[in-house]
């Protein structure tokens, strides 16, 4: 089952996503986290904290689960 992570903008980078989803407690932890855990974005292995994530992207993190990005529109 996938957890939905809502964002207020069109895009969020992977490092920001990890903090926004409460996987890490600060942005400075993103680089070491990416060295310790395998992360797939849309089924492609990813290790760049600056990777841009958009509405509908799926992020799988070993030992944490699967997440889907949802961009919030003004009407929601």
């Amino acid at each position: 089952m996938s957890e939905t992570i809502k964002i207020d903008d069109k895009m969020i980078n992977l490092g920001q996503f990890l903090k926004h989803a409460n996987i890490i407690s600060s942005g400075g932890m993103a680089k070491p986290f990416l060295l310790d855990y395998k992360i797939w974005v849309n089924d492609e292995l990813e290790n760049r904290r600056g990777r841009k994530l958009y509405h509908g992207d799926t992020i799988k993190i070993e030992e944490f689960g699967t997440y889907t990005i949802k961009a919030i529109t003004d009407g929601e």
Side-chain angles (χ1 to χ4, degrees), residues 14-25:
L14 183 56
Q16 292 169 329
F17 160 80
L18 293 171
K19 186 169 185 260
H20 186 72
N22 295 317
I23 296 170
I24 59 174
S25 59

Side-chain angles (χ1 to χ4, degrees), residues 2-74:
S2 178
E3 181 178 341
T4 300
I5 302 297
K6 296 179 181 180
I7 60 172
D8 295 332
D9 211 343
K10 294 179 184 179
M11 178 275 298
I12 189 170
N13 71 42
L14 183 56
Q16 292 169 329
F17 160 80
L18 293 171
K19 186 169 185 260
H20 186 72
N22 295 317
I23 296 170
I24 59 174
S25 59
S26 73
M29 296 176 65
K31 190 173 184 177
F33 184 87
L34 290 168
L35 292 172
D36 292 339
Y37 294 91
K38 289 186 179 179
I39 298 177
W40 291 266
V41 177
N42 300 327
D43 295 323
E44 293 180 16
L45 194 58
E46 185 58 67
N47 63 358
R48 298 172 295 160
R49 65 180 178 209
R51 165 72 187 257
K52 294 178 181 178
L53 305 173
Y54 298 93
H55 175 82
D57 282 349
T58 301
I59 299 90
K60 295 178 188 173
I61 305 172
E62 68 178 1
E63 300 179 31
F64 286 87
T66 303
Y67 304 85
T68 302
I69 301 294
K70 179 176 181 173
I72 300 172
T73 61
D74 293 335

